[in-house]
Every structure is written in structure tokens, then in C-alpha cells.
Amino acid sequence: MASEPSLRRYRNGYAKLLRLYPKPYRERFGDGMEQTFNDLCRERAQEGRGLFRLALWVFVETLAAIVRENATIVMRCIMNRGSTIFLRLVISLIAIAALAVCVFPLPRMLAKEAAKTPDTAWQIYLFLVGAYIQAVLFLFALYQAFKLLNYADGNKALSELSVRALRRIKHSAITIGLLMMAGIVWVMVLSAGSGDDSAGPVMIGLMGTFASSVVAAAAAVLQTQVQKAIDTKNEGLS
């Protein structure tokens, strides 16, 4: 039977998860969704059944819905010409910041670490190569997002060009996530042999993997919605 602390923990976690919905959606449906989840948890607890499977299923389903709703909001913003200027500025600033990190602090920092441990310097330089590959993929995805805004301004938001750009963003995010996972495994294997604490790098890698997964999921949802809109438009014309 689920204990009261675990019941409270699942409820609090679900309440926090609901905050990721867009504000209009959250204000309209949030209280009802939270009450429904609380009732389900209470019923299972009274029946003496565990809550983990229920919580896992509800959390995954809710997270997928959150990605879908936020992706819809993003698509509406993209199709609004007034907002594309701000989005272009944000993308440009992110790209400049990423380039600055790759050019200045990252290589210097890793070079210092390599000088401290010459015997394992190859591992640090291998990490640098992986970081630069991910940076290239990240910048490529930003470039595709920039092109997507251009398509929106040119009344081509609902076109195969937009679908292609979203597909490339999705593939870039998936590749970055896979590289992150490979890096996590590599760090864990090396730390197991040397006895070093790998909690910090692993946590950073998991956060990066989660972020890239969210981006890939959002791009996939947008790609599907744009493709459906194109198909509907073509059916209306035929």
C-alpha cells in the first residue's frame, strides 16, 4: 500500500509538471487534471495497489501533451510575422554565445586540463572533438530554425521547405542526444577504472540529453502538424 509521503510526492510532482503547460491551457484545464490525478491516486492507495505504474503512465502521457501544446504555440508564433523579428534575434544571440564558448573558453580550459595529465590528454582532446561535433549540429539546427522563420515571412510556413527544415532540426537534436548518451557511458567507464566521481559530468550530460529529446519531440510534432496542414490544403485544391 502506498504511504502518505509517497502519495504526497506524486501529487506534488504532477502539480509541478502541469506548470509546463501554456498558461491559457493550464488555467482552463489544470485544476481539473490535478484533481483527477489526485482522485486516481487516492483510489489506488485505498485498494492497496502501488502508485508507480499509474504515476509513470500519467507523467509520460502528460509530458507528451505538454510538448504538443507548446509546439502548437510555437507554430502560431512562427506564423505571426510580428514575432519573427524577436525570434531571429534570440536565435542569433544563442548562435553567437555558442560560437564564443567554442572559440575562447572551451579549448583553453581543456588544454590546461590536458597539460596537467599528459598520459590521459588524448581523452580530453577526444572529448573536445565530440563537443565540437555537437556544436556544429547545434548551430546547424539554429540555422534551420532561422530558415523556418524566413519561410514564415515569405508565406511558406505551410510548405515542404518547412517540413524539411523541421526534419533536419529533429535529426540534429536526436544525434546530439545520442552523442550525449555515448559521452555519459564513456565518462562512467573511465571513472569506474580510476575511481573518480562522475556524478557532475553525468548529471550535465543527462540534462543535455533531456533538452535535446524535448527539442526533437517538439520538432517532430511541428513537422507532423505542418505536413497534415499541407495535405489538407492539397486535398482542398484537388
Side-chain angles (χ1 to χ4, degrees), residues 59-102:
F59 277 45
V60 170
E61 186 181 60
T62 303
L63 185 59
I66 288 171
V67 171
R68 183 175 63 250
E69 291 298 326
N70 281 284
T72 301
I73 296 295
V74 171
M75 193 61 198
R76 289 174 183 171
C77 290
I78 290 175
M79 296 181 68
N80 182 359
R81 289 191 177 186
S83 65
T84 58
I85 297 176
F86 174 73
L87 292 175
R88 278 196 187 92
L89 178 61
V90 171
I91 291 174
S92 299
L93 291 176
I94 293 174
I96 292 172
L99 283 172
V101 170
C102 292

Side-chain angles (χ1 to χ4, degrees), residues 102 106 110 121-139 172 175-184 186-187:
C102 292
L106 183 61
L110 293 181
W122 65 271
Q123 298 175 2
I124 296 175
Y125 289 122
L126 184 60
F127 170 82
L128 182 62
V129 171
Y132 277 131
I133 292 175
Q134 294 182 58
V136 170
L137 290 169
F138 179 71
L139 292 172
S172 297
T175 306
I176 291 174
L178 292 175
L179 290 173
M180 285 278 188
M181 290 299 298
I184 290 172
W186 181 53
V187 169

Side-chain angles (χ1 to χ4, degrees), residues 13 31 36 54 62 65 72 79-80 107 113 127 156 202 214 222:
D31 292 340
T36 301
L54 171 67
T62 303
T72 301
M79 296 181 68
N80 182 359
E113 291 296 325
F127 170 82
K156 297 179 180 178
V202 169
V214 171
L222 286 173

Side-chain angles (χ1 to χ4, degrees), residues 8-24:
R8 191 181 306 112
R9 185 167 60 250
Y10 286 128
R11 288 176 177 175
N12 292 338
Y14 188 69
K16 293 179 180 178
L17 184 63
L18 292 178
R19 297 175 188 173
L20 299 177
Y21 271 111
K23 187 176 180 180

Side-chain angles (χ1 to χ4, degrees), residues 73-236:
I73 296 295
V74 171
M75 193 61 198
R76 289 174 183 171
C77 290
I78 290 175
M79 296 181 68
N80 182 359
R81 289 191 177 186
S83 65
T84 58
I85 297 176
F86 174 73
L87 292 175
R88 278 196 187 92
L89 178 61
V90 171
I91 291 174
S92 299
L93 291 176
I94 293 174
I96 292 172
L99 283 172
V101 170
C102 292
V103 172
F104 297 109
L106 183 61
R108 293 179 182 178
M109 181 180 64
L110 293 181
K112 290 181 180 179
E113 291 296 325
K116 294 178 183 177
T117 56
D119 294 338
T120 58
W122 65 271
Q123 298 175 2
I124 296 175
Y125 289 122
L126 184 60
F127 170 82
L128 182 62
V129 171
Y132 277 131
I133 292 175
Q134 294 182 58
V136 170
L137 290 169
F138 179 71
L139 292 172
F140 177 73
L142 289 179
Y143 173 66
Q144 295 301 318
F146 204 93
K147 289 175 63 177
L148 192 61
L149 297 177
N150 290 335
Y151 297 150
D153 282 348
N155 293 324
K156 297 179 180 178
L158 301 180
S159 66
E160 290 296 335
L161 294 173
S162 296
V163 173
R164 192 177 304 125
L166 288 167
R167 186 185 301 115
R168 289 170 178 171
I169 293 173
K170 178 185 67 177
H171 290 165
S172 297
I174 291 173
T175 306
I176 291 174
L178 292 175
L179 290 173
M180 285 278 188
M181 290 299 298
I184 290 172
V185 173
W186 181 53
V187 169
M188 292 178 67
V189 170
L190 291 178
S191 61
S194 61
D196 294 334
D197 184 14
S198 62
V202 169
M203 182 59 65
I204 294 174
L206 288 175
M207 292 173 61
T209 302
F210 176 76
S212 61
S213 300
V214 171
V215 172
V221 171
L222 286 173
Q223 178 187 340
T224 302
Q225 291 184 344
V226 173
Q227 188 63 61
K228 287 182 178 179
I230 294 173
D231 294 340
T232 302
K233 182 180 178 180
N234 292 336
E235 289 175 1

